[in-house]
Amino acid sequence: MDIKKRIRIGDLLIEKKLISESQLEAALAEQKKTRRKLGKTLIDLGYIKESQLLTLLSEQLGIPYIELQHYPIDHEVLRQLPEIHARRFRAVALKKDNGRITVGLADPTDIYAYDEIQKVLKQPIDIVAISESDLLHHLDSSYRKTDEIGSLAEVLDEEIAEADFDLQALSKTTSESDAPVVKLLQAIFEDAVSVQASDIHIEPDLNVLRIRQRVDGVLQEQIVDEARIANALTSRLKLMAGLNISEKRLPQDGRFNIKVKNKAIDVRLSTMPMVHGESVVMRLLDHSQGLLNFSKLGIPDNVLEPLRKLIHKPHGLVLVTGPTGSGKTTTLYAALNEINSAATKIITAEDPVEYQLPRINQVQIHDKIGLNFPTVLRTALRQDPDVILIGEMRDQETVEIGLRAAMTGHLVFSTLHTNDAISTVSRLLDMGAEGFLIASSLQAVLAQRLVRRLCPDCRQDHDLDEQEKLWLSQIIGTDNNNASFYQPGGCQLCNNTGYKGRIGVYELLVITPDLIGALQKNDAAVFTKQAANQANFTSLASNAVELAKQGVTTLDEVLRIAGDLDVRTHDSTTSTS
């Protein structure tokens, strides 16, 4: 048998009078359009049966033609050829005998498939002809259960597997061809860790590759002229995250752990197909910093003291609100860290689980397998919890379960996407929650933003212009004529940005008896007015201005976060700040 001898299928079929000249010409014309193999085109056009073609080829090549349905297959041998190669080359490993493996090929004339399969199996192979339709049915039945079990195992293993990559060690052991990619990745991650970047963006453009890092909430860009390296970088990152490197048309998400400068970094990776390639965004979580506590978050005393009392209550709902990236999860973890003890049963439902906390029962949400927030919450309530954390209240069902859990003796923490604390109740009502449920369950709402810290080594005095004075007097309502404000300078310590790190800005709305009365009547307007007039309530904007007066941040940062707030509702509260 000589698999590598060239066979002209069309001429052979005409010689055996299985097709006519006109049929061959029609098939060749169709082949130019579809770019499929001639044999497959002839079969699809109905000019010849698959069994006739395979019988003819087997006779010419001197190889057997077998029907898979009646052939005993050694499944241990079958597993030696991975499914991805079996489907790609339309092949199946059938049996092993005398150090040789018999492989069935739907196209026994495919010399490239023959060579590649032999490389994968690393043993000499013998070819037999098989039907492609029989093969595809056989592949589905042989590999399907293994893949299904494997995918479910991956969901479980994702939370418990150790998959650390030490990039320095990897660069020493990797192959010569991959070494430049690993070294570049090492440099990118080390640079990101050194500037405490929260995200890394890798974006291919037409002629360049853009590598951007989000530092203190602002992207910093570096342009690389070698746009061709984008595919190599993306493929290596996909391998590290356990993603499908051949899938470039659909978005993918994954995660992996790396060690950079003796720091353990958890990387959440997301890919998205773009016009010029795949965009990759990585969120970096530094586990070596340990869990933050309230004292490190910079929460002012007028917010921290009542908040501490609230999180030690036996029941009720405490919500943390703000846009994406405002530090809500960090605040919730700090709260859990404070109340975590051997006497307290804490269960969380998160998407994703950003930090693994000792003694706390954390559940990773997986919507694809039905493990969603409502399902986890119903089960969690049967696990005798004292405290429940809901990563996000996304829909009416989750809101109602959370509210009822808080009403029936559990302390519940969760997050919501609202602009400020006062508008949270309107959002809950819009989501279908009943006013009496909110009144019976909600204890407080903490709204927050993040602003950039001024670099203390290069900050400069800032004189208010007339527009800034007008804004402060009308919106904040305080006399700022004698207040000192600062603006960014720029030095080597802050990479000439004028800023170094970020700090939270908070407002806390505690639900009082007056507010409960408005909620029981479903009167959002009265609730809003009474909440804004609370003597102990200080708005986000007012607290941000206090930070600017202290020289911690700039007035520009205050204006940035105040731009999406309805600060007019807080006019009467500013005199108490």
Side-chain angles (χ1 to χ4, degrees), residues 254-271:
R255 60 183 290 186
F256 58 90
N257 297 319
I258 59 172
K259 291 179 181 177
V260 182
K261 293 185 175 181
N262 295 321
K263 290 185 176 182
I265 307 295
D266 185 15
V267 181
R268 303 299 173 89
L269 181 143
S270 172
T271 70

Side-chain angles (χ1 to χ4, degrees), residues 11 28 69 102 159 169 178 189 193 314 361 440 454 463 507 558:
D11 295 339
L28 289 171
Q69 296 175 346
T102 299
E159 300 308 315
D178 287 342
F189 279 116
V193 170
N361 302 270
S440 303
L454 274 168
D463 295 326
E507 69 177 15
V558 178

Side-chain angles (χ1 to χ4, degrees), residues 20 98 109 256 363 401 491:
S20 65
N98 295 325
T109 65
F256 58 90
V363 181
I401 295 174
C491 64

Side-chain angles (χ1 to χ4, degrees), residues 81-96:
L81 184 65
E83 183 182 6
I84 187 172
H85 297 297
R87 293 190 180 277
R88 179 183 178 187
F89 299 120
R90 296 292 192 261
V92 60
L94 299 172
K95 68 176 182 178
K96 184 176 181 180

Side-chain angles (χ1 to χ4, degrees), residues 2 186 230 245 267 313 373 386 410 564:
D2 184 7
Q186 181 180 348
I245 62 172
V267 181
K313 283 192 172 185
F373 280 111
D386 297 299
H410 304 89
D564 62 350

Side-chain angles (χ1 to χ4, degrees), residues 21 103 111 131 154 188 247 297 316 319 355 484 548 574:
E21 289 278 358
V103 175
I111 298 172
S131 162
E154 286 176 7
I188 291 172
E247 179 56 77
L297 294 183
L319 287 174
Y355 291 96
S484 298
T574 53

